[in-house]
Amino acid sequence: MRANVKILGAGDCADSFDERDAFALDVLAGLSAAHKSIPSKYFYDEQGSELFRRITRLPEYYLTGCELEILEGQWDRIAALVAGKPFNLVELGPGFSRKTTLFLERFLKSGLDYQYVPIDISASSMGALVGELADLFPDLKTHGLVGDYFHGLKWLNHRFRRRNLVLFLGSSIGNFTRAESCSFLRSAWKCLNHDDLVLMGFDLKKDIDVLLRAYNDSLGLTSRFNLNLLERINRELGGCFDVEKFRHFGSYDVSSSSMESYLVSQERQSVFIEQIGRSFDFEAWEAIHTEHSCKYSLSDVEWLASQSGFKIREHLFDSCRFFADSIWSVDKPESVRQGTEGEAVAQSLGSDSRL
Ligand SMILES: C[S@@+](CC[C@H](N)C(=O)[O-])C[C@H]1O[C@@H](n2cnc3c(N)ncnc32)[C@H](O)[C@@H]1O
């Protein structure tokens, strides 16, 4: 087995904090705001990752099945794009899914020369993933990075300078707002080399009833997944949330084309969080915003690529056209393909009034 996991820390990224301090600061900032919120990246502790794994198996949560259909049917087209030279197969936020093992299995069978570099903020899912992969694929070189997507890409660029195929599956890009997506993609572009490839999953706009069912499943797993955020604050930050006094609410915002998840306080209450050393007041029916899941048209996808310096190679669809995996390549002018001059180009990409 050739697998290892690196936890990215303060020595690797100048702006990283201890994970628990960062969580406490984000909860403090989010619950102190006029419109309360908690970033969705905190869903994925051990319990949250397991609940999400179960959600992806629900028929209502069509995203996973649709993307699996695309990748199973068209993986050889993707393999052809990276054949011939050693490369890094980088995956942003893999969790643990059949989509990942499908790629690894087929790529190994085709004799492609690659090492697998998963980057995930959840130490528990990374541990489980790397352990499982070592059993399933003893010859695979795996280098797991625990940390934020962007810190992982930055670290990777300094260590393994070879061609990258970056997977960003499950429409996880949709958890960023439009402005955050542009900023994230421009940062990723800076870290990558000319002609590197990105394969990104986009959940397409569709019948709102299908969306509402996907994010309000009949078994109540999405509700438990959302409420686990409060349980995590209780476990890790000494919070005193009575989870029974909150409820999950998922709704579609037609103006931003996104499913929005909330935790709604069902009564007036005050909740103390020990690690933060203060209480937070909630009015009856006041909401905490917990997740943004944007839905896209193809012109939205094309706009994102053009704003961030990528060239679209092709879009792959499932048979219902519910989902698209879009393959992009990094396009850098010859004059800035080496060194840090890429910064200047990223700045010159310009901004758009839609941000
Ligand atoms: C929605 S799940 C997607 C899992 C899988 N890619 C799929 O398609 O089913 C998001 C994954 O990204 C990870 N994640 C969320 N925010 C992250 C961040 N900012 N940096 C690194 N990983 C993150 C979570 O831990 C989780 O494993």
Side-chain angles (χ1 to χ4, degrees), residues 228-295:
N228 177 60
L229 206 42
L230 302 183
E231 287 167 1
R232 182 175 182 185
I233 295 175
N234 289 351
R235 282 191 295 271
E236 295 186 16
L237 303 179
C240 299
F241 281 101
D242 178 350
V243 173
E244 300 282 308
K245 293 184 179 171
F246 286 82
R247 59 163 287 188
H248 160 76
F249 183 71
S251 66
Y252 186 68
D253 178 17
V254 283
S255 62
S256 61
S257 314
S258 71
M259 280 301 302
E260 303 291 338
S261 294
Y262 300 91
L263 288 166
V264 182
S265 173
Q266 303 194 84
E267 60 185 65
R268 189 184 168 92
Q269 54 182 313
S270 182
V271 179
F272 183 69
I273 302 178
E274 197 182 334
Q275 295 284 312
I276 300 179
R278 59 163 280 199
S279 296
F280 297 89
D281 296 330
F282 294 85
E283 299 289 343
W285 309 114
E286 185 178 354
I288 309 172
H289 182 261
T290 54
E291 193 174 39
H292 174 82
S293 303
C294 193
K295 308 301 162 195

Side-chain angles (χ1 to χ4, degrees), residues 41 44 52 56 64 67 91-95 97 99 119-122 125 147-149 169-170 172 175:
K41 65 182 177 183
Y44 301 95
F52 183 73
T56 61
T64 306
E67 193 168 35
E91 185 167 9
L92 305 180
S97 95
K99 290 178 270 183
I119 302 172
D120 202 296
I121 203 163
S122 164
S125 37
D148 195 78
Y149 303 133
L169 306 179
S172 293
N175 296 144

